[in-house]
Amino acid sequence: DWAVAMEDSNGQPHEVKEHTASHLRSQSVESLALLPKLALYQIHSATPDSGAFSDEVLEELRDLKKRAGCRIGLSTTGPDQATTIDLAIKHRDLFSCVQTTYNPLAQASGAALQRAQEAGLDIIVKEGMANGRLWHTPPPTLRNTAASMGVALDALVLGLVLAAPFRPQVLSGAVSVEQLQSNM
């Protein structure tokens, strides 16, 4: 067994999503120092209002793309993921990849992901197993379908996600060693 020791944060959030040009600049310098051959730089938890699409941040990302020779992507969060994806499509000269939630319980971004794929962006699906919810408490329809097909539940769920017309790469969202082994 393993565990990650967490220092007491004195009530402070463990991470802050700050989508400003100055923060991006300092993070990109750190990332490139650790990973000098970085292929994909992603802004995480972008929303339409997070600042990720401000002129200053977009300019900084363009500079990073040119300077590091890497692709630029983003991950989405919150209830407005489809709008965030559409903003990435609008700036497809910069963004080449979007990462968003999509699974049998969360399909609201499906049409936007299709538009992104048609615009030439690569699609990464996060939370393919809904952060373990589909493993522990699957809807009866999914559980019964998997049983009738003689396949593991995660094979059915991840297969459904992989079969989406926007042809995603899928992060399973496994939350235990058992789930990871089953996903493989």
Side-chain angles (χ1 to χ4, degrees):
D1 286 2
W2 61 273
V4 176
M6 302 296 285
E7 293 183 29
D8 183 7
S9 64
N10 293 322
Q12 298 299 312
H14 75 284
E15 93 183 299
V16 176
K17 305 291 192 239
E18 181 185 324
H19 297 128
T20 63
S22 62
H23 195 67
L24 171 61
R25 193 172 306 112
S26 67
Q27 287 188 325
S28 66
V29 166
E30 182 179 345
S31 295
L32 290 171
L34 295 169
L35 302 164
K37 295 183 186 211
L38 188 65
L40 174 64
Y41 188 95
Q42 289 198 105
I43 294 179
H44 287 288
S45 301
T47 69
D49 303 318
S50 69
F53 297 100
S54 71
D55 291 341
E56 296 82 14
V57 169
L58 293 173
E59 187 59 37
E60 187 66 31
L61 287 169
R62 284 185 179 87
D63 180 63
L64 171 63
K65 181 178 179 179
K66 182 178 178 182
R67 184 170 30 95
C70 63
R71 298 172 54 221
I72 304 293
L74 59 81
S75 71
T76 66
T77 191
D80 215 3
Q81 294 185 57
T83 302
T84 305
I85 294 165
D86 285 333
L87 286 167
I89 295 167
K90 178 181 174 186
H91 297 283
R92 66 181 166 265
D93 64 308
L94 176 61
F95 295 105
S96 62
C97 180
V98 294
Q99 177 180 324
T100 196
T101 301
Y102 186 85
N103 60 59
L105 299 179
Q107 298 183 7
S109 62
L113 289 170
Q114 183 63 40
R115 291 190 296 275
Q117 190 269 335
E118 290 168 359
L121 278 71
D122 289 332
I123 310 300
I124 301 172
V125 165
K126 62 179 178 166
E127 302 174 21
M129 289 294 293
N131 288 333
R133 288 190 312 267
L134 288 170
W135 180 275
H136 294 293
T137 55
T141 303
L142 286 175
R143 186 177 52 245
N144 294 341
T145 301
S148 72
M149 294 175 70
V151 299
L153 178 65
D154 57 335
L156 174 67
V157 170
L158 295 175
L160 288 169
V161 175
L162 284 165
F166 43 83
R167 301 191 306 264
Q169 298 173 58
V170 180
L171 306 176
S172 73
V175 296
S176 70
V177 172
E178 178 187 17
Q179 290 173 17
L180 183 59
Q181 288 172 335
S182 183
N183 291 172
M184 296 172 81

